Every structure is written in C-alpha cells, then in structure tokens.
Amino acid sequence: MKKTIKFLVALGLGSVLFYFVIRRAGLGTVKEASSLFFSSSGLIIVAITLLIALVGVIRWKVVLGCQGEKRKISELLGIWVIGYSIDYLTPVSLFGGEALRVYLTGKTLGINWEKSFSSVIIDKILDGTFHLIFIVAGVAVFLSYGDFPEIWIFWIVVFTVLALTVVLTLFYSRAIGKKSILLLILGLFGLEKAQVKATKNGEFIFNTEGNVMRFFSPRQAFFWKGVLLSFLRHALIYLRAFVLILLLVGTMEPIKAIAVQGLAYLSLLLPLPAGLGGLEAISAFGFETLHFGFEKGTVFGMTWRAADLAICFLGIFFGIKITLKLFKLRIFNFIDKLFKRGEGRRL
C-alpha cells in the first residue's frame, strides 16, 4: 500500500511538472515529438535503443558466466527487459526491478539466489559507474556554456555527484584490495562477522558479497569485458542523444551532446516514473542554455522517453510470456503432487 501511495505521489508530481513544461513550450511540441518518433528517423532512435538493451543483456550474460552460469542471450533477454521495465516505471520502489529479476532468474533458470542476486548488484554497480562518469563530463561541459538557474540546484548537483563519487571510490578501493565492505559497515555499527553469520541470512549475505568482490578483479578478463560492455552501452546512449540533437537542431554537436546526456542522467536520478516531467524540464533548460531552444529540449525529452518506453512494451510481452510459463509450472507441480499422493494411498 505504501509503495502504491509513493508511486501515485511521484506520478502526480511528475505530471504537474510535465504540465508546466508543456504550458511554456506549447502543445505543438507534443505533436512534433509524436511526428518525430513515428517517422523513419524515429525508427533509427528505436533501433539504437534496442541495441542499448541488447548490450545490457550481453553484459549480464558475461557477469553470470564468471560465476559459472553459462546462459544464452535468448534465456536472459526476457528477464532483463522485465526488470528494466519495472525499474524504469516505478523508481520509487527501491530495487523493485532488480528484486523481480533475481526472483525470475531463480524460478525460470534455476540459478541460485546468491549468484542471481550478486549478478544484479554487479550489473547496477557497472551502470552506476558510467552514469557518474557521463554526469561529471556532462555537467562540466554544460557549465562551460552557462549556469544552473538557481544556485541551490547547482549545490544539489555537486552534492549528488560527490556522494556518488565517494561511494563508488570506497567500493572500488576495497573491492580491488579484496577488503570486505560488509565488515566495514558492520564495524560502524559495532557488530561482529560471527554475529551476522549466525543469523538466518548471514551466510547468504557474505557469499553474495564474495561473488561481487570476485568479479571486480582487474587481473580477470571478465572484469574488463564487463567494463567494455558498460562503456559500449553508454556510448550508444550518447549516440542516441547525438542523433536526436542532429534531427532536432539540424547541426552536428558532439561536445554539447555530452552535456545533454549528462543532464538527462541527472533527471533520471529523480524518483519520477519514467522520468516524467523531470526529463522534459532539465532537457528543455539544458537546450535553452546550449542555445538549441526550450521547445526543442522538450521534444528531446519526450522522444527520449518514448524510445525507452518501447523497451517497456517489450517488457509487457515478456511478462505475459513468463507469467504463463510459471503458471504452467505450478499446474504441473500440483498435478505431480496429486499423482504422488494417489500412489502413496495405494501403497
């Protein structure tokens, strides 16, 4: 119930923000975004978006592979898309998409919880790393062209970037040095490793951390594969931003595209469903500062979201497919139990 209320509040706030952006930009921007998305140029944007998703699935395959789970892309695609869709549409539900991905991985592929959970954590850390890199690069480029409208917005951005940098730096320094992060956190609360291991999920927690730490080893080829695939994924997102700017403005702006991508990443840190309102607001503001025009920035935000929602529609398809598969498994298990009971009575 609480999650539903949070989602509705976030959706309401996003809708209000979206209304004010459209009110300033004009309803013509909605029509322009629709015309762009449902054109041959829109197909290019959707094709790049599908490539972005595919690289994400391949990276997850590599992560699972380093844990001894050799899986086909076709086996992982549906689960990854479902997790992405939930994560994108309900960001107020912390780790909603990730938890569902772990659950479906265990239920449909038979991968144990430790491996599936650690693989999802590794996936998020790699994505978070490159999100931060592109945010820093984007904000740096943006500030060379103009400033944020209010000083408090600037300081919120600085604080967010610094907080993420500290967290990731701490993680990588301990992971590469093979030092437990859990022990550091437990020490802050005055707890001992034995105390946690004695709990119901203690062993699971430490084994999961061990799997995560094992991946982040610069001496291993799978680590660099994960890094390169992460870079490729975010480079494709940059390409999408670059092409969108080219289609909207009519000029090639490779440097400014970095700023736009960084700002788009910042907007998606807000807990708004599909970045509703926040993506349009920051894109419009960024475009205006970069001398592209407020209206064009609004169209950019709506088209960017439309492309991501195309993946979410795929998520609905795969969700129905996997739900039917799980339902069949339950039916077969139920029938199997009935037969066993019948045989037991005969004996």
Side-chain angles (χ1 to χ4, degrees):
M1 186 65 181
K2 287 182 179 180
K3 289 183 178 180
T4 303
I5 293 172
K6 286 179 180 179
F7 173 77
L8 291 174
V9 170
L11 182 62
L13 290 173
S15 299
V16 170
L17 189 55
F18 180 79
Y19 166 77
F20 281 111
V21 173
I22 296 301
R23 184 179 177 182
R24 178 180 168 185
L27 284 173
T29 54
V30 178
K31 184 179 179 181
E32 186 179 349
S34 299
S35 298
L36 174 60
F37 185 72
F38 293 106
S39 67
S40 56
S41 297
L43 287 176
I44 296 172
I45 300 302
V46 172
I48 295 172
T49 305
L50 290 173
L51 280 174
I52 293 167
L54 180 60
V55 172
V57 178
I58 294 171
R59 183 183 63 192
W60 188 31
K61 179 180 182 296
V62 169
V63 173
L64 284 170
C66 84
Q67 298 181 41
E69 294 292 339
K70 306 296 182 182
R71 299 291 174 169
K72 296 177 181 178
I73 293 174
S74 57
E75 293 179 293
L76 303 174
L77 180 62
I79 298 172
W80 187 94
V81 171
I82 292 170
Y84 171 85
S85 302
I86 297 298
D87 208 28
Y88 188 68
L89 296 172
T90 60
V92 290
S93 180
L94 191 61
F95 302 121
E98 290 79 8
L100 184 58
R101 205 198 317 177
V102 170
Y103 173 80
L104 292 177
T105 303
K107 286 293 182 180
T108 63
L109 301 180
I111 298 175
N112 70 51
W113 301 117
E114 289 175 4
K115 290 181 178 179
S116 58
F117 190 52
S118 58
S119 73
V120 171
I121 292 174
I122 292 166
D123 224 29
K124 296 301 289 186
I125 291 172
L126 288 170
D127 250 346
T129 301
F130 281 89
H131 262 100
L132 179 61
I133 291 171
F134 278 92
I135 285 174
V136 171
V139 171
V141 172
F142 173 78
L143 290 175
S144 68
Y145 288 95
D147 297 315
F148 288 94
E150 299 289 341
I151 189 66
W152 60 270
I153 296 177
F154 169 77
W155 285 114
I156 287 177
V157 171
V158 170
F159 175 79
T160 302
V161 170
L162 284 176
L164 290 172
T165 302
V166 169
V167 170
L168 284 172
T169 300
L170 178 63
F171 169 79
Y172 277 102
S173 64
R174 294 192 71 84
I176 293 172
K178 301 303 176 187
K179 297 178 181 178
S180 173
I181 296 171
L182 281 175
L183 290 179
L184 175 65
I185 296 172
L186 292 174
L188 294 175
F189 290 95
L191 296 172
E192 297 290 335
K193 182 177 181 179
Q195 291 176 280
V196 178
K197 273 207 165 188
T199 62
K200 185 179 179 181
N201 297 315
E203 198 72 34
F204 169 83
I205 292 170
F206 279 100
N207 287 343
T208 300
E209 185 196 32
N211 288 335
V212 173
M213 291 294 199
R214 198 173 301 114
F215 179 85
F216 288 93
S217 176
R219 294 181 179 180
Q220 300 296 329
F222 51 69
F223 169 73
W224 292 110
K225 285 182 182 178
V227 170
L228 288 173
L229 285 167
S230 297
F231 174 76
L232 176 59
R233 175 171 155 77
H234 289 271
L236 285 169
I237 296 174
Y238 164 79
L239 176 64
R240 185 174 66 171
F242 174 80
V243 172
L244 259 176
I245 293 171
L246 177 62
L247 292 171
L248 290 170
V249 182
T251 58
M252 298 179 71
E253 301 286 352
I255 302 300
K256 289 184 179 180
I258 297 174
V260 172
Q261 182 183 4
L263 292 175
Y265 280 2
L266 271 177
S267 71
L268 295 176
L269 291 177
L270 298 171
L272 299 172
L276 182 64
L279 181 57
E280 283 82 10
I282 199 164
S283 295
F285 159 70
F287 266 56
E288 188 174 47
T289 304
L290 296 169
H291 310 295
F292 291 153
F294 188 91
E295 294 78 10
K296 295 296 183 184
T298 306
V299 175
F300 175 92
M302 287 188 284
T303 309
W304 177 294
R305 179 185 300 104
D308 287 335
L309 287 175
I311 302 297
C312 295
F313 279 113
L314 277 177
I316 294 172
F317 167 76
F318 283 117
I320 294 171
K321 186 178 177 181
I322 290 178
T323 300
L324 290 173
K325 182 180 179 180
L326 291 175
F327 179 71
K328 286 179 182 178
L329 287 173
R330 285 196 173 188
I331 293 295
F332 288 143
N333 287 335
F334 176 71
I335 293 172
D336 188 50
K337 286 180 181 179
L338 286 179
F339 274 112
K340 286 181 178 179
R341 285 179 183 176
E343 289 175 0
R345 287 174 182 175
R346 288 175 187 175
L347 293 172

